[in-house]
Amino acid sequence: MLIETWRPKEGSPWEIQQAELITFTQKYGRTALPANTVRELMKLTPRHLHSPGSLLLLAKIKAEDGPRLAGFSCVTDYGRGLSLVVVHPLYRGRGLGSKLLGRQISVLGKLSCRVPLSSVSGLQMCFRAGLTAGSMVKAPGGRAELILEERR
């Protein structure tokens, strides 16, 4: 498995990559994802990805017909903006989500994630990546979310 950073370049097909990520998220994202997460991914521009605290990581596997997306993580504003990890069902339970978050932390130096208390797998992933609980908040709609943070 290869984890690579994806940075938009001049003339690079961001729209194609973005469409792939949106489709992947809609198909394989757990139902625990807030509805506004996909909308935030749709609004994401190359300018957002160039701003401090933003990083898009792609986890790819080698397949017979070329590399395939196994999962990805996208963070803006050190996680205070968009903080998203989506892993294909075939690769869940293998630590891929935690590896993606761990790489986010090592590159960005700090990270904050909001995870619903009902998302046990999401909380486990964050704890395995080294995040610790900072506080609990009530999200729009009334559900409780834990704010997990790592600062190095």
Side-chain angles (χ1 to χ4, degrees):
M1 181 111 22
L2 173 69
I3 296 177
E4 61 185 33
T5 300
W6 194 91
R7 292 274 185 203
K9 300 170 192 76
E10 196 64 40
S12 182
W14 165 243
E15 292 77 16
I16 293 170
Q17 183 65 60
Q18 184 182 34
E20 181 182 0
L21 296 176
I22 291 167
T23 301
F24 191 87
T25 301
Q26 290 172 329
K27 190 171 184 181
Y28 303 119
R30 296 203 177 219
T31 55
L33 284 177
N36 67 333
T37 301
V38 175
R39 285 194 299 273
E40 290 298 316
L41 187 57
M42 289 176 173
K43 291 186 219 172
L44 199 63
T45 66
R47 193 182 100 238
H48 290 114
L49 293 173
H50 280 299
S51 52
S54 297
L55 185 62
L56 173 58
L57 297 173
L58 305 176
K60 295 188 175 183
I61 57 159
K62 289 184 181 180
E64 289 180 4
D65 59 346
R68 294 255 179 206
L69 189 62
F72 78 95
S73 174
C74 186
V75 170
T76 61
D77 193 23
Y78 299 100
R80 291 184 302 267
L82 180 64
S83 178
L84 174 65
V85 177
V86 181
V87 176
H88 189 288
L90 291 175
Y91 304 101
R92 289 184 189 149
R94 300 180 186 193
L96 179 56
S98 296
K99 286 178 189 170
L100 287 164
L101 281 178
R103 179 77 62 88
Q104 292 282 9
I105 294 166
S106 67
V107 173
L108 297 175
K110 63 181 178 178
L111 184 64
S112 176
C113 298
R114 290 175 67 136
V115 182
L117 288 177
S118 61
S119 177
V120 174
S121 60
L123 291 168
Q124 287 176 330
M125 174 185 64
C126 291
F127 287 132
R128 285 185 187 132
L131 297 170
T132 56
S135 61
M136 189 168 65
V137 296
K138 203 171 245 191
R143 75 178 181 182
E145 292 181 337
L146 202 55
I147 298 178
L148 298 129
E149 301 173 314
E150 170 64 32
R151 298 181 191 283
R152 293 198 177 159

mmCIF file of all heavy atoms in Angstrom, residues 3-27:
data_model
loop_
_atom_site.group_PDB
_atom_site.id
_atom_site.type_symbol
_atom_site.label_atom_id
_atom_site.label_comp_id
_atom_site.label_asym_id
_atom_site.label_seq_id
_atom_site.Cartn_x
_atom_site.Cartn_y
_atom_site.Cartn_z
ATOM 1 N N ILE A 3 0.972 5.389 0.398
ATOM 2 C CA ILE A 3 0.266 6.603 0.803
ATOM 3 C C ILE A 3 1.024 7.772 0.202
ATOM 4 O O ILE A 3 2.210 7.942 0.445
ATOM 5 C CB ILE A 3 0.185 6.739 2.334
ATOM 6 C CG1 ILE A 3 -0.646 5.589 2.917
ATOM 7 C CG2 ILE A 3 -0.423 8.089 2.714
ATOM 8 C CD1 ILE A 3 -0.742 5.582 4.424
ATOM 9 N N GLU A 4 0.330 8.552 -0.617
ATOM 10 C CA GLU A 4 0.975 9.678 -1.287
ATOM 11 C C GLU A 4 0.206 10.970 -1.057
ATOM 12 O O GLU A 4 -1.002 10.968 -0.864
ATOM 13 C CB GLU A 4 1.116 9.410 -2.783
ATOM 14 C CG GLU A 4 -0.198 9.205 -3.503
ATOM 15 C CD GLU A 4 -0.042 8.819 -4.959
ATOM 16 O OE1 GLU A 4 0.931 8.126 -5.299
ATOM 17 O OE2 GLU A 4 -0.923 9.193 -5.753
ATOM 18 N N THR A 5 0.945 12.050 -1.066
ATOM 19 C CA THR A 5 0.355 13.376 -0.945
ATOM 20 C C THR A 5 -0.080 13.826 -2.331
ATOM 21 O O THR A 5 0.661 13.677 -3.289
ATOM 22 C CB THR A 5 1.393 14.374 -0.392
ATOM 23 O OG1 THR A 5 1.812 13.914 0.887
ATOM 24 C CG2 THR A 5 0.811 15.764 -0.263
ATOM 25 N N TRP A 6 -1.278 14.367 -2.427
ATOM 26 C CA TRP A 6 -1.753 14.904 -3.703
ATOM 27 C C TRP A 6 -1.863 16.406 -3.560
ATOM 28 O O TRP A 6 -2.611 16.924 -2.740
ATOM 29 C CB TRP A 6 -3.099 14.315 -4.093
ATOM 30 C CG TRP A 6 -3.446 14.586 -5.516
ATOM 31 C CD1 TRP A 6 -3.161 13.793 -6.584
ATOM 32 C CD2 TRP A 6 -4.126 15.736 -6.050
ATOM 33 N NE1 TRP A 6 -3.614 14.370 -7.734
ATOM 34 C CE2 TRP A 6 -4.207 15.567 -7.440
ATOM 35 C CE3 TRP A 6 -4.651 16.891 -5.489
ATOM 36 C CZ2 TRP A 6 -4.811 16.496 -8.266
ATOM 37 C CZ3 TRP A 6 -5.247 17.819 -6.316
ATOM 38 C CH2 TRP A 6 -5.323 17.615 -7.695
ATOM 39 N N ARG A 7 -1.067 17.105 -4.348
ATOM 40 C CA ARG A 7 -1.099 18.572 -4.381
ATOM 41 C C ARG A 7 -1.512 19.012 -5.778
ATOM 42 O O ARG A 7 -0.966 18.531 -6.762
ATOM 43 C CB ARG A 7 0.281 19.156 -4.075
ATOM 44 C CG ARG A 7 0.737 18.929 -2.661
ATOM 45 C CD ARG A 7 0.216 20.003 -1.779
ATOM 46 N NE ARG A 7 0.753 19.862 -0.434
ATOM 47 C CZ ARG A 7 0.186 20.347 0.617
ATOM 48 N NH1 ARG A 7 -0.924 21.031 0.527
ATOM 49 N NH2 ARG A 7 0.703 20.186 1.807
ATOM 50 N N PRO A 8 -2.452 19.929 -5.871
ATOM 51 C CA PRO A 8 -2.831 20.438 -7.190
ATOM 52 C C PRO A 8 -1.682 21.238 -7.800
ATOM 53 O O PRO A 8 -0.998 21.979 -7.108
ATOM 54 C CB PRO A 8 -4.039 21.326 -6.917
ATOM 55 C CG PRO A 8 -4.023 21.595 -5.459
ATOM 56 C CD PRO A 8 -3.223 20.529 -4.802
ATOM 57 N N LYS A 9 -1.475 21.017 -9.070
ATOM 58 C CA LYS A 9 -0.452 21.756 -9.806
ATOM 59 C C LYS A 9 -1.141 22.550 -10.898
ATOM 60 O O LYS A 9 -2.275 22.286 -11.254
ATOM 61 C CB LYS A 9 0.558 20.788 -10.421
ATOM 62 C CG LYS A 9 1.282 19.929 -9.402
ATOM 63 C CD LYS A 9 2.078 18.844 -10.110
ATOM 64 C CE LYS A 9 2.568 17.811 -9.159
ATOM 65 N NZ LYS A 9 1.542 16.874 -8.712
ATOM 66 N N GLU A 10 -0.432 23.513 -11.435
ATOM 67 C CA GLU A 10 -0.974 24.322 -12.533
ATOM 68 C C GLU A 10 -1.367 23.398 -13.688
ATOM 69 O O GLU A 10 -0.576 22.579 -14.139
ATOM 70 C CB GLU A 10 0.073 25.336 -12.998
ATOM 71 C CG GLU A 10 -0.486 26.449 -13.850
ATOM 72 C CD GLU A 10 -1.468 27.328 -13.091
ATOM 73 O OE1 GLU A 10 -1.238 27.625 -11.922
ATOM 74 O OE2 GLU A 10 -2.481 27.704 -13.712
ATOM 75 N N GLY A 11 -2.600 23.491 -14.137
ATOM 76 C CA GLY A 11 -3.072 22.676 -15.253
ATOM 77 C C GLY A 11 -3.411 21.248 -14.861
ATOM 78 O O GLY A 11 -3.747 20.435 -15.695
ATOM 79 N N SER A 12 -3.307 20.933 -13.568
ATOM 80 C CA SER A 12 -3.605 19.593 -13.099
ATOM 81 C C SER A 12 -5.116 19.392 -13.033
ATOM 82 O O SER A 12 -5.851 20.320 -12.702
ATOM 83 C CB SER A 12 -2.978 19.397 -11.721
ATOM 84 O OG SER A 12 -3.197 18.097 -11.262
ATOM 85 N N PRO A 13 -5.584 18.193 -13.337
ATOM 86 C CA PRO A 13 -7.040 17.955 -13.387
ATOM 87 C C PRO A 13 -7.673 17.779 -12.003
ATOM 88 O O PRO A 13 -8.060 16.679 -11.620
ATOM 89 C CB PRO A 13 -7.137 16.691 -14.220
ATOM 90 C CG PRO A 13 -5.871 15.952 -13.932
ATOM 91 C CD PRO A 13 -4.830 17.013 -13.714
ATOM 92 N N TRP A 14 -7.765 18.850 -11.228
ATOM 93 C CA TRP A 14 -8.364 18.787 -9.900
ATOM 94 C C TRP A 14 -9.803 18.295 -9.968
ATOM 95 O O TRP A 14 -10.242 17.498 -9.143
ATOM 96 C CB TRP A 14 -8.294 20.139 -9.188
ATOM 97 C CG TRP A 14 -9.201 20.211 -7.994
ATOM 98 C CD1 TRP A 14 -10.255 21.050 -7.817
ATOM 99 C CD2 TRP A 14 -9.165 19.392 -6.819
ATOM 100 N NE1 TRP A 14 -10.871 20.810 -6.610
ATOM 101 C CE2 TRP A 14 -10.220 19.784 -5.976
ATOM 102 C CE3 TRP A 14 -8.351 18.351 -6.395
ATOM 103 C CZ2 TRP A 14 -10.481 19.203 -4.747
ATOM 104 C CZ3 TRP A 14 -8.614 17.751 -5.152
ATOM 105 C CH2 TRP A 14 -9.658 18.179 -4.361
ATOM 106 N N GLU A 15 -10.540 18.745 -10.955
ATOM 107 C CA GLU A 15 -11.949 18.367 -11.055
ATOM 108 C C GLU A 15 -12.112 16.853 -11.185
ATOM 109 O O GLU A 15 -13.057 16.282 -10.632
ATOM 110 C CB GLU A 15 -12.621 19.073 -12.242
ATOM 111 C CG GLU A 15 -12.755 20.570 -12.076
ATOM 112 C CD GLU A 15 -11.444 21.348 -12.304
ATOM 113 O OE1 GLU A 15 -10.493 20.773 -12.880
ATOM 114 O OE2 GLU A 15 -11.371 22.505 -11.882
ATOM 115 N N ILE A 16 -11.196 16.207 -11.887
ATOM 116 C CA ILE A 16 -11.264 14.749 -12.050
ATOM 117 C C ILE A 16 -10.972 14.067 -10.713
ATOM 118 O O ILE A 16 -11.684 13.151 -10.302
ATOM 119 C CB ILE A 16 -10.286 14.274 -13.149
ATOM 120 C CG1 ILE A 16 -10.747 14.804 -14.508
ATOM 121 C CG2 ILE A 16 -10.169 12.751 -13.169
ATOM 122 C CD1 ILE A 16 -9.749 14.606 -15.619
ATOM 123 N N GLN A 17 -9.913 14.514 -10.036
ATOM 124 C CA GLN A 17 -9.564 13.936 -8.732
ATOM 125 C C GLN A 17 -10.678 14.179 -7.722
ATOM 126 O O GLN A 17 -11.055 13.286 -6.974
ATOM 127 C CB GLN A 17 -8.254 14.538 -8.216
ATOM 128 C CG GLN A 17 -7.785 13.951 -6.902
ATOM 129 C CD GLN A 17 -7.423 12.481 -7.011
ATOM 130 O OE1 GLN A 17 -6.538 12.130 -7.778
ATOM 131 N NE2 GLN A 17 -8.109 11.634 -6.278
ATOM 132 N N GLN A 18 -11.228 15.381 -7.723
ATOM 133 C CA GLN A 18 -12.303 15.732 -6.794
ATOM 134 C C GLN A 18 -13.533 14.856 -7.042
ATOM 135 O O GLN A 18 -14.142 14.352 -6.097
ATOM 136 C CB GLN A 18 -12.656 17.204 -6.940
ATOM 137 C CG GLN A 18 -13.689 17.685 -5.954
ATOM 138 C CD GLN A 18 -14.037 19.144 -6.168
ATOM 139 O OE1 GLN A 18 -14.043 19.625 -7.295
ATOM 140 N NE2 GLN A 18 -14.324 19.842 -5.080
ATOM 141 N N ALA A 19 -13.896 14.656 -8.296
ATOM 142 C CA ALA A 19 -15.047 13.814 -8.626
ATOM 143 C C ALA A 19 -14.832 12.381 -8.142
ATOM 144 O O ALA A 19 -15.754 11.750 -7.609
ATOM 145 C CB ALA A 19 -15.306 13.838 -10.134
ATOM 146 N N GLU A 20 -13.613 11.869 -8.279
ATOM 147 C CA GLU A 20 -13.299 10.519 -7.805
ATOM 148 C C GLU A 20 -13.450 10.431 -6.279
ATOM 149 O O GLU A 20 -14.015 9.476 -5.750
ATOM 150 C CB GLU A 20 -11.883 10.118 -8.212
ATOM 151 C CG GLU A 20 -11.504 8.726 -7.769
ATOM 152 C CD GLU A 20 -10.076 8.331 -8.116
ATOM 153 O OE1 GLU A 20 -9.340 9.128 -8.713
ATOM 154 O OE2 GLU A 20 -9.702 7.195 -7.750
ATOM 155 N N LEU A 21 -12.980 11.456 -5.577
ATOM 156 C CA LEU A 21 -13.074 11.465 -4.114
ATOM 157 C C LEU A 21 -14.523 11.583 -3.642
ATOM 158 O O LEU A 21 -14.918 10.920 -2.680
ATOM 159 C CB LEU A 21 -12.236 12.603 -3.535
ATOM 160 C CG LEU A 21 -10.733 12.518 -3.770
ATOM 161 C CD1 LEU A 21 -10.044 13.759 -3.224
ATOM 162 C CD2 LEU A 21 -10.146 11.256 -3.175
ATOM 163 N N ILE A 22 -15.302 12.401 -4.322
ATOM 164 C CA ILE A 22 -16.721 12.546 -3.958
ATOM 165 C C ILE A 22 -17.464 11.233 -4.176
ATOM 166 O O ILE A 22 -18.210 10.772 -3.305
ATOM 167 C CB ILE A 22 -17.374 13.698 -4.749
ATOM 168 C CG1 ILE A 22 -16.804 15.042 -4.262
ATOM 169 C CG2 ILE A 22 -18.894 13.673 -4.611
ATOM 170 C CD1 ILE A 22 -17.137 16.221 -5.157
ATOM 171 N N THR A 23 -17.239 10.595 -5.325
ATOM 172 C CA THR A 23 -17.875 9.309 -5.623
ATOM 173 C C THR A 23 -17.461 8.257 -4.598
ATOM 174 O O THR A 23 -18.298 7.509 -4.082
ATOM 175 C CB THR A 23 -17.505 8.843 -7.046
ATOM 176 O OG1 THR A 23 -17.935 9.832 -7.972
ATOM 177 C CG2 THR A 23 -18.145 7.509 -7.378
ATOM 178 N N PHE A 24 -16.170 8.207 -4.282
ATOM 179 C CA PHE A 24 -15.640 7.260 -3.300
ATOM 180 C C PHE A 24 -16.293 7.489 -1.937
ATOM 181 O O PHE A 24 -16.701 6.549 -1.266
ATOM 182 C CB PHE A 24 -14.113 7.433 -3.222
ATOM 183 C CG PHE A 24 -13.405 6.356 -2.452
ATOM 184 C CD1 PHE A 24 -12.993 5.186 -3.078
ATOM 185 C CD2 PHE A 24 -13.115 6.518 -1.108
ATOM 186 C CE1 PHE A 24 -12.317 4.200 -2.375
ATOM 187 C CE2 PHE A 24 -12.438 5.540 -0.393
ATOM 188 C CZ PHE A 24 -12.040 4.373 -1.031
ATOM 189 N N THR A 25 -16.410 8.749 -1.544
ATOM 190 C CA THR A 25 -17.015 9.102 -0.258
ATOM 191 C C THR A 25 -18.487 8.716 -0.215
ATOM 192 O O THR A 25 -18.971 8.155 0.778
ATOM 193 C CB THR A 25 -16.855 10.609 0.017
ATOM 194 O OG1 THR A 25 -15.466 10.933 0.016
ATOM 195 C CG2 THR A 25 -17.452 11.000 1.353
ATOM 196 N N GLN A 26 -19.217 9.013 -1.280
ATOM 197 C CA GLN A 26 -20.642 8.684 -1.311
ATOM 198 C C GLN A 26 -20.873 7.176 -1.324
ATOM 199 O O GLN A 26 -21.835 6.684 -0.747
ATOM 200 C CB GLN A 26 -21.303 9.337 -2.519
ATOM 201 C CG GLN A 26 -21.394 10.840 -2.378
ATOM 202 C CD GLN A 26 -21.877 11.520 -3.639
ATOM 203 O OE1 GLN A 26 -21.633 11.068 -4.762
ATOM 204 N NE2 GLN A 26 -22.561 12.644 -3.469
ATOM 205 N N LYS A 27 -19.971 6.440 -1.966
ATOM 206 C CA LYS A 27 -20.130 4.994 -2.077
ATOM 207 C C LYS A 27 -19.674 4.256 -0.820
ATOM 208 O O LYS A 27 -20.329 3.325 -0.366
ATOM 209 C CB LYS A 27 -19.345 4.488 -3.287
ATOM 210 C CG LYS A 27 -19.609 3.047 -3.647
ATOM 211 C CD LYS A 27 -18.981 2.704 -4.970
ATOM 212 C CE LYS A 27 -19.322 1.281 -5.374
ATOM 213 N NZ LYS A 27 -18.710 0.914 -6.651
#
